Structures are given as structure tokens and as C-alpha cells.
Amino acid sequence: MANTANMKVNAPSNRLRTALPKIGIRPTIDGRYGGVRESLEDQTMGMARAVAALIGENIRHAAGQPVECVIADTCIGGLSEAAKCAEKFAREGVGVSLTVTPCWCYGSETMDTDPLTPKAIWGFNGTERPGAVYLAAALAGHAQKGLPAFGIYGRDVQDQGDASIPADVREKLLRFARAGLTAATMRGTSYLAMGNVSMGIAGSIVDQDFFQSYLGMRVMTVDMSEFVRRMERGIYDKEEFARALAWVKGNCPEGEDPNKPEKQRTRQQKDKDWEVCIQMAQIARDMMIGNPRLAEMGFKEEAEGNNALAAGFQGQRQWTDHFPNGDFMEAVLNTSFDWNGIRQPYIVATENDSLNGATMLFGHLLTGQAQMFSDVRTYWSPEAVKRVTGHALSGKAEGGILHLINSGPSALDWTGCQAVGGAPVVKPWWDVSREEAGQCLDATLWCASDAGYFPGGGWSTDFETREGMPVTMARLNLVKGLGPVLQIAEGWTVQLPGQVHEALDARTNPTWPTTWFAPVLTGSYPFVDGYTVMNNWGANHGAVCFGHIGSDLIALASILRIPVDMHNVPEERIFRPSVWSRFGALGPQGADYRACANYGPLYK
């Protein structure tokens, strides 16, 4: 049993050099003094304060801190006050702009014109003052000036004195805030490519222009020999290493060795593999975010890190043919806890699949949760399962299931041992308890690596994800001549009877972690059944996030100007900038492509 009774619970902190973005709230108003403006000041500023409270109570940064909102010093009635607000926002580090008003205002005179800041406008639906008229006028101005903005307009008329925020408005405000903060958080950070192209996988051909132009991120490429240099020269915290080794021995039980006896590594070799894998995890983390302990040891350059919000490790084959694999490193860093306690997960993509890493980053920044990296390995039709095992798939699995499996980078949170109301979940890292961390560790075995895949040794995690978890699988793909596209599949985890799971799992690698995924089927292509989803998936990997977050991903993609080529999100949950309708309100998916092509990448 894992011993986590004294596990440290780390306080939220920003571990990067870049500051966390704030949300700026702009209360706009009819500028006419002499009775008009004066009558609206309190209501307008009250809307701004209500939105700030809503966001502060419901959204945290992925790092765990509450989101800070900055409200303009005065209501904005014209160009001068708009300029003062813009100056304050720049000084305060605002990365997302939200305009609110209950009344008519002067559209192009009061609007936010910063081209890099995600924007939304909430126009109050009331009859006494034409907030909706301003909303329409301001959105038209944004469209004409090439500055896409999300329009928020309540379905039902409110009374003039009603200070509440209707449920449909709340949902859109929070969805925009999450998506806008995700885009703003990535800006100025970096992706750390540890190694280069893994086995010809397209996603590991890191496209620096994509990261810079669409995400606002730099790319740092480090040769894998840097791991060797740091290990051989002792450029890692030795005290932490000793603590980590003791933690691993007490909390990471070994499972089956799948290799033939003559291929199995000796106990001495396996013990050395553990040491190397722990050092790799320390070094990868230090290369991402730095470590002040290294400066104390005399390694000032290494102590700085690379301000990396996400990373990827090439591993195969140039590393794993000789050294232990990166599975322990990837799995433990992606998990929301380790020997240093419960803390924010790191986003590390296996095989340096940067596009899957970027998709994992989207999910993590939107939710604060640990993400799952997986091969989209096999589609099992109901007929095939019946033929092989005699078991009839039913319920959510009746349209077939996808076997999501990879040798180790799945975060341990994905055992499903965390719970809310008895239902399995993956929690935001700050809500994970010591007991739940222990249960995740107890549900995971560490199996010696398959010598055919990993001649240099190492370890792979082995667990089966519990059923009943709503999840979203997504993937970024790059297409020559088109650019990036995002695909989304909401669905559920399912669990098979023990013998059925064992029979299917044994046909691939039973020492790797398995998640059985049943996509939500709509009856429309490509979500007719599990086969059509699998057959239209754009690459060999997928990033999986807990919860049905497809609508948040669609909103984020529109901010970044990335079209969505397939999704099963209900129409009423889709939220994009209002100008998207001008590109074809009768065909939303085609309009998405045309709008993204027209505006181009956010940081072009």
C-alpha cells in the first residue's frame, strides 16, 4: 500500500517566468452627460463588478491561483476613456478583454482595438435601455475592423433593476473566460523539444512557425545528450534524488516482466534503471522550468530552465536503444503528484509529438487537470468483440470501443481512483487528496519494459481506467496548404468484464495502461459508430481530458484561428466570435474554415 499520509500538498504557484494573465473588464456607457450618463453609471459599473465576482468564484488558472480581474477606473464613454483603460490594462498585464454594458454606447469609439487580446461583449437584454443595440453595433464595428469578438446576449428580457446574471449568460461568460485565458497563458512561453523526430512521427517534426504564429510560443530544441551530460556530471539535486528513490521504492510496485527469461534484465540492471529514470524526470523538469537548487550548486545557466509550459521527449529510438525509456519520466511528470507532493502536472508528450503535446496543453489550461497521452490503437467493433470473447457490447459501448493505450505516459490520475460523489473523475490538481494519490499509486503497476521496443530497459505503467468518466479526446493536425486543424470527440470511459479485458489487452501489450473509450455517437458522419471516428482520426495519438470540454476547445480554437474539422458537440453548446456567422450562418463548419483562413493565425 502506498504511504501518502504525510504527502506534501503544495500551494498554488506560478512556476514560469511569464506572469499569469488577468481579465480586463470594460464597462462602456452612453457618454452624454446631463442626465443620461449619470443615470447609468451605477448599473454599468455594477455589471462589471458582478462579472468580476463570477469569474473569481468559478475559474482558476491551471497553476491553481484565482483569476484576477481588472476593471477600468471609470466607465468608458468615448475615445479618451478607452485609451485610459487600454493603458491601465497594459500596465496590469491584462490578457483577455471583456466589455459589458446595459445601454447604448458609441460602438467604434468605445471598443477595444488591441488585435492580440481575445474579446467578448455582454450587452444586457433589457427594454428600458438598448444594450442589445450597442452589442450589435459594436460587433459590427469589430467585424468591419477585422477584430473578432464573442457576442453575449441573454435569451430572456431582464428588468432594468435586475442585477443577476442569467444562466445562459453565465455559461458564455465563463466559457469565453476559460478559452481566452488559455490563449493568453500560452503567449510568451515555450515548448521544449527534448530530442528530435521519433520514428518518423509527423507530430514530432516540430513546426516552430505553428507554435509562434498560432500559440505565441517559442520552441527550444535540446539534444537528448543533455540528459547524459547532466547525469554524468551530477547536474541535478542529489538530496531530491535520494528522497525520490525512497519514494519510488515505497510507492511504485513492480508488475509483470513480459520478456522471455533470457531477455529479462537482472535485478542489478533494473535497480539501475530506476535510478536513471528518476534522474531523467528531475532533469526534464529542470530543463522545463529551471531549479534554483542548481544555481546553489554552481550551475547558473542550467538553473534558469527554458520557461517551458509543455515539452516532449523523443526517446525512440536513438535513446531507448541504449538507455532506459522515458515512460516513468513522462508518466510521473504528467501526474498531479510525485515525491514532492501534490502539485500542478507538467505537460510532457511522449515521442516528442508536439501536436499532441499542444492539445494536452489546451486541456490542462482549460481545466487544471492531468492529461492523458495515448495511442489511438485499435477499434473493436461489437462483432469483433463477440467473435473473440463471446461478450456483447452494450450501453455506451454498443457502437464499438477504441483501445487507448501507450507504454507509459498516461498520468496516474487516469486510473480513475479520484472521485466526486462516488463517481470516478480526474480532479483539478489542487482538489486531489493524499488518500486519492495513494489509491492511484496502488492501482498502478510498473512493469519492466518490452525489450523488443526498449532494449535499453526502463518501466511502463500498467492500469485500467475505471468506467463512467465523461472524457474528451482531441488532436491537432497540420495539413500542408491548410495549416492546423483540430478534431474533437467527446465520449465515455467504459470497463469490460475482467476476462474480456484480459483477452483483448493480451493481443497488444498487457503491461501497458488501457483506457477503453466509447465516443458519443450522433448518427451523423463521422460519428456514426466507433469505426467512423477511428477511421477519421488524423494521427496515431490522441490527447484525452476529463469532462466534456469540446465546447471550450471550439471557443479556444476560434480565438487561435484554428478550424475544427470534426466534433460531436451539440449545436447549442458551440460558441464562437459572432463574425463567424458572416462567413456562412447556414453552414457553421464551412464558415469556421473560411473565417480562420480570412483572419489567419492570431500572432501572424
Side-chain angles (χ1 to χ4, degrees), residues 26 76 81-91 112-114:
R26 308 173 72 255
I76 301 168
E81 287 163 326
K84 291 177 184 178
C85 175
E87 192 278 331
K88 179 179 183 178
F89 283 6
R91 185 175 66 250
D112 176 4
T113 57
D114 184 338

Side-chain angles (χ1 to χ4, degrees), residues 205-471:
I205 305 173
V206 182
D207 190 310
Q208 298 203 21
D209 182 64
F210 161 72
F211 276 92
Q212 179 178 330
S213 297
Y214 284 88
L215 308 185
M217 297 175 66
R218 298 171 182 247
V219 172
M220 178 64 180
T221 301
V222 179
D223 191 88
M224 289 184 293
S225 64
E226 178 66 2
F227 283 88
V228 179
R229 183 182 79 90
R230 295 197 185 203
M231 286 188 289
E232 292 185 352
R233 300 190 182 188
I235 309 176
Y236 59 90
D237 187 339
K238 314 296 192 308
E239 293 180 3
E240 182 190 9
F241 169 75
R243 186 173 69 253
L245 183 60
W247 184 86
V248 165
K249 289 181 178 179
N251 295 286
C252 298
E254 294 182 18
E256 172 189 354
D257 188 332
N259 300 292
K260 295 180 179 179
E262 64 273 16
K263 290 284 188 179
Q264 293 181 7
R265 296 169 72 78
T266 65
R267 183 68 259 170
Q268 184 178 15
Q269 287 174 315
K270 289 180 177 179
D271 290 342
K272 181 62 177 176
D273 288 350
W274 274 122
E275 294 179 6
V276 172
C277 289
I278 293 168
Q279 291 167 6
M280 288 170 64
Q282 289 181 264
I283 290 167
R285 180 206 60 205
D286 292 350
M287 284 198 287
M288 288 181 70
I289 65 166
N291 187 344
R293 178 75 181 106
L294 300 183
E296 297 172 8
M297 297 165 57
F299 301 105
K300 293 185 178 180
E301 181 181 1
E302 292 85 350
E304 277 297 311
N306 291 285
N307 198 42
L309 197 55
F313 180 67
Q314 175 190 338
Q316 298 186 78
R317 290 188 38 211
Q318 287 77 2
W319 180 269
T320 55
D321 280 3
H322 183 63
F323 291 103
N325 63 23
D327 289 0
F328 173 82
M329 170 188 72
E330 294 157 1
V332 77
L333 289 178
N334 279 319
T335 296
S336 60
F337 52 85
D338 61 15
W339 49 85
N340 290 318
I342 296 170
R343 46 88 179 130
Q344 182 184 4
Y346 299 85
I347 299 300
V348 183
T350 194
E351 294 159 351
N352 195 28
D353 185 344
S354 62
L355 296 178
N356 217 53
T359 316
M360 293 168 67
L361 182 58
F362 292 174
H364 173 62
L365 293 179
L366 286 168
T367 65
Q369 301 162 1
Q371 304 295 294
M372 183 169 75
F373 181 112
S374 197
D375 279 357
V376 186
R377 180 62 66 100
T378 308
Y379 166 68
W380 278 97
S381 68
E383 295 78 12
V385 173
K386 182 75 171 179
R387 174 179 59 83
V388 171
T389 68
H391 176 70
L393 295 178
S394 60
K396 290 182 173 66
E398 64 182 0
I401 52 177
L402 275 60
H403 194 179
L404 306 182
I405 183 172
N406 201 292
S407 59
S410 295
L412 272 61
D413 303 67
W414 281 87
T415 56
C417 291
Q418 301 161 22
V420 173
V425 300
V426 176
K427 290 183 176 181
W429 70 267
W430 54 83
D431 284 337
V432 177
S433 69
R434 296 183 180 92
E435 294 75 18
E436 289 169 328
Q439 292 165 6
C440 292
L441 287 162
D442 289 339
T444 305
L445 294 175
W446 295 87
C447 301
S449 63
D450 185 322
Y453 282 102
F454 306 114
W459 303 95
S460 297
T461 50
D462 180 24
F463 60 76
E464 181 185 2
T465 302
R466 293 183 178 178
E467 69 177 344
M469 295 166 60
V471 298

Side-chain angles (χ1 to χ4, degrees), residues 19-25 51-52 54-70 93-98 116-120 150 172-189 215 309 361-362 364-368 430 552 555-556 559-560 602-603:
L20 295 173
K22 302 173 184 177
I23 294 182
I25 302 179
V51 170
L54 173 70
I55 292 172
E57 292 166 2
N58 288 276
I59 300 181
R60 289 197 195 190
H61 290 285
Q65 292 102 322
V67 174
E68 184 176 346
C69 292
V70 177
V94 165
V96 181
S97 171
L98 177 56
L116 301 183
T117 305
K119 301 170 186 32
F150 291 77
K172 289 183 176 180
L173 286 169
L174 294 175
R175 178 154 297 136
F176 166 74
R178 287 190 295 266
L181 283 170
T182 296
T185 301
M186 291 186 289
R187 183 181 178 186
T189 65
L215 308 185
L309 197 55
L361 182 58
F362 292 174
H364 173 62
L365 293 179
L366 286 168
T367 65
W430 54 83
D552 285 356
L556 172 62
I559 291 172
L560 302 173
L602 182 58
Y603 304 104

Side-chain angles (χ1 to χ4, degrees), residues 76-150:
I76 301 168
L79 293 171
S80 176
E81 287 163 326
K84 291 177 184 178
C85 175
E87 192 278 331
K88 179 179 183 178
F89 283 6
R91 185 175 66 250
E92 294 282 348
V94 165
V96 181
S97 171
L98 177 56
T99 298
V100 300
T101 190
C103 61
W104 168 252
C105 316
Y106 309 149
S108 61
E109 297 176 18
T110 59
M111 63 188 283
D112 176 4
T113 57
D114 184 338
L116 301 183
T117 305
K119 301 170 186 32
I121 306 171
W122 172 28
F124 184 82
N125 184 1
T127 56
E128 291 81 4
R129 296 286 183 177
V133 178
Y134 168 72
L135 175 64
L139 290 173
H142 280 80
Q144 191 166 332
K145 292 176 180 293
L147 301 169
F150 291 77

